[in-house]
Amino acid sequence: MRIRQLAHERRSKALACFGGAFSLVVSPFLILLLISIPSRLGILVVLGCWVGAALLYQQGQKLWIKANQADQGAHGEEEVARLLKPLERQGWIIEYNVPLKRWGDADVFLCSPKSNYFVIDVKSNKGRIFFDGAMLKRGYGKQVHDFYGKNLLQAVKGQASALKDMKRVSFVQPIICFTQANLEKIKQNKQINGVYVVNAVNLLSLLTSAPKKLTKYS
């Protein structure tokens, strides 16, 4: 999947940064051994290289963290893909990582034999997920965070609208599927602002229990 490739690219860039940092740490000593440089200039060379090494190392750390996040996201998407595999044998049409101009890639787009259409935004966050009356938020112990300032409900509804226009269909039902988090006080198969929020265990039952024809948010 595309996100797995992204993780690989980030990890490769991180390793390049770590390698560059190591080179900058040792290179001034090699330079001083091979070339006679005044002591003050030598100190400036060493300090300059070490500052550059520190910056490269920090950049490598950030890329490594982002690579781990992408790997975690890819694992979630692959888990959902395994869950959806039986639907293909039942006549469902499933597309993964559909690029959209404004809303990024749609993780999964589905068309059922009943001509119902769905978009699934797969999230692999851990912790607990709850709805605060306006947005979905995530909690770890007593700490509460938003999703980096992003309203997940509005984002997946935007993807659904974009896919509706792209595929020239009357309606696309948005779904957010959390593969690892605990959904706190969120009822399965019940919409929040027009979006179904489910865990992986209940995803198939939601898709297969949809009415014959979806036409609007309920």
Side-chain angles (χ1 to χ4, degrees):
M1 290 187 176
R2 191 172 304 176
I3 191 170
R4 185 70 75 184
Q5 180 182 354
L6 177 62
H8 176 74
E9 291 173 356
R10 287 174 175 173
R11 208 172 300 282
S12 296
K13 291 178 180 178
L15 291 173
C17 287
F18 292 145
F22 177 78
S23 298
L24 285 175
V25 168
V26 301
S27 59
F29 297 103
L30 296 176
I31 293 172
L32 293 175
L33 285 173
L34 297 174
I35 303 174
S36 178
I37 297 177
S39 59
R40 289 185 179 179
L41 180 58
I43 291 172
L44 290 176
V45 169
V46 171
L47 289 176
C49 287
W50 284 3
V51 169
L55 293 174
L56 275 176
Y57 183 78
Q58 289 178 352
Q59 182 65 20
Q61 282 186 314
K62 292 178 181 178
L63 287 167
W64 196 267
I65 291 171
K66 289 182 177 179
N68 289 338
Q69 291 172 341
D71 270 333
Q72 182 178 332
H75 178 75
E77 291 184 17
E78 288 162 0
E79 180 182 349
V80 168
R82 287 193 294 269
L83 288 172
L84 298 179
K85 196 68 178 177
L87 295 182
E88 294 181 328
R89 294 191 290 269
Q90 299 173 21
W92 288 64
I93 298 173
I94 305 176
E95 299 179 45
Y96 294 94
N97 302 119
V98 182
L100 303 173
K101 289 183 179 180
R102 179 181 174 186
W103 301 99
D105 288 3
D107 292 334
V108 191
F109 174 71
L110 305 95
C111 173
S112 77
K114 301 175 182 178
S115 295
N116 284 331
Y117 300 90
F118 306 86
V119 58
I120 304 174
D121 188 10
V122 180
K123 297 297 179 187
S124 55
N125 304 85
K126 297 181 180 180
R128 55 190 175 87
I129 306 297
F130 64 94
F131 180 60
D132 71 351
M135 298 173 61
L136 291 176
K137 293 192 175 181
R138 52 199 174 100
Y140 299 92
K142 294 182 179 180
Q143 294 184 332
V144 174
H145 307 273
D146 61 18
F147 287 88
Y148 310 102
K150 184 179 180 181
N151 188 325
L152 296 186
L153 299 172
Q154 290 298 326
V156 73
K157 287 171 73 173
Q159 290 185 344
S161 178
L163 284 164
K164 178 177 73 70
D165 295 338
M166 177 189 295
K167 301 297 184 179
R168 297 181 181 180
V169 297
S170 60
F171 176 71
V172 176
Q173 174 63 58
I175 299 171
I176 300 175
C177 178
F178 287 93
T179 59
Q180 299 188 60
N182 175 41
L183 302 186
E184 186 176 272
K185 298 180 181 179
I186 296 177
K187 295 182 179 180
Q188 301 293 311
N189 295 357
K190 184 177 180 180
Q191 294 182 359
I192 300 177
N193 294 348
V195 180
Y196 287 108
V197 180
V198 298
N199 54 32
V201 174
N202 291 283
L203 179 60
L204 275 183
S205 64
L206 170 64
L207 292 170
T208 55
S209 65
K212 184 175 181 181
K213 187 67 176 178
L214 295 172
T215 55
K216 62 180 180 179
Y217 300 112
S218 58

